[in-house]
């Protein structure tokens, strides 16, 4: 009997302490900003609905390791274990993709933006439907203000990516191009 109790005690120690709160409670602050229904209503904060789990875990890792800077995110991710990162990413990836924001793009804007998407080969990484895959984010239906901020950050190199492709692509974008892409992507 003592051996059985010792085995259970060793197993419990090896498993580590149980999380203090259930995952749903730990995610509540994340969803308050990023949107519990997959669409953020918070200015400059991205919608996370429909994002691939591998993309999310990469971003959480970068925040935890201070490779990407956004103070609330760095603080939130600082104490997360690798298992926490995976659990958060897997759960957030279940959120539905955000519906396009506002009215659909006007015809002239859509034509200009589709030309930019083709010229800069956005769909070669983000997918034909711009819904992302693996470690590449969904950009379709993303918040317009966030897309403006992200593209401007890539262009100025203020936002380094884990892959320099976005920084390179953004160098060829004018401010008007960035506005057109952000408006189009957010509304499709």
């Amino acid at each position: 009997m003592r051996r059985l109790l010792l085995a259970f005690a060793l197993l419990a120690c090896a498993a580590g302490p149980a999380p203090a709160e259930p995952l749903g409670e730990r995610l509540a602050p994340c969803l308050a900003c990023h949107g519990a229904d997959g669409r953020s209503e918070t200015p400059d904060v991205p919608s996370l609905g429909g994002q691939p789990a591998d993309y999310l875990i990469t971003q959480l890792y970068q925040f935890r390791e201070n490779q990407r800077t956004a103070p609330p995110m760095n603080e939130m991710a600082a104490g997360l274990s690798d298992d926490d990162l995976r659990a958060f990413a897997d759960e957030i990836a279940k959120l539905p993709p955000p519906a396009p924001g506002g009215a659909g793009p006007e015809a002239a804007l859509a034509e200009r933006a589709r030309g930019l998407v083709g010229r800069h080969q956005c769909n070669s990484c983000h997918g034909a439907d711009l819904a992302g895959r693996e470690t590449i984010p969904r950009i379709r239906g993303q918040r317009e203000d966030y897309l403006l901020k992200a593209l401007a950050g890539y262009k100025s190199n203020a936002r380094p990516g884990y892959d320099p492709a976005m920084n390179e692509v953004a160098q060829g974008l004018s401010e008007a191009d960035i506005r057109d892409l952000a408006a189009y992507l957010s509304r499709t």
Side-chain angles (χ1 to χ4, degrees), residues 74-93:
N74 300 108
E75 292 164 16
M76 185 284 304
L80 298 178
S81 68
D82 289 349
D83 289 339
D84 290 335
L85 297 181
R86 173 55 65 192
F88 276 50
D90 287 346
E91 194 63 27
I92 292 169

Side-chain angles (χ1 to χ4, degrees), residues 13-104:
C13 289
E21 303 172 86
L23 183 59
E25 289 176 26
R26 295 176 72 200
L27 279 173
C30 307
L31 301 179
C33 290
H34 291 282
D37 63 353
R39 180 160 197 74
S40 170
E41 297 300 328
T42 308
D44 292 330
V45 174
S47 299
L48 297 182
Q51 294 293 358
D54 288 343
Y55 169 73
L56 294 167
I57 196 169
T58 301
Q59 298 308 302
L60 287 168
Y61 175 83
Q62 287 184 315
F63 286 126
R64 183 183 75 185
E65 302 300 317
N66 292 307
Q67 294 172 353
R68 183 169 171 202
T69 305
M73 290 301 303
N74 300 108
E75 292 164 16
M76 185 284 304
L80 298 178
S81 68
D82 289 349
D83 289 339
D84 290 335
L85 297 181
R86 173 55 65 192
F88 276 50
D90 287 346
E91 194 63 27
I92 292 169
K94 295 176 186 174
L95 294 173

Side-chain angles (χ1 to χ4, degrees), residues 114-154:
R114 281 194 295 269
L116 289 166
V117 166
R119 188 168 37 258
H120 295 284
Q121 302 177 357
C122 303
N123 52 8
S124 68
C125 292
H126 294 278
D129 59 358
L130 304 171
R133 64 176 191 267
E134 299 161 5
T135 60
I136 308 295
R138 175 187 187 86
I139 54 177
R140 179 180 178 186
Q142 186 54 266
R143 289 185 58 90
E144 185 172 350
D145 57 353
Y146 178 74
L147 289 167
L148 285 167
K149 182 174 123 180
L151 288 169
Y154 285 127

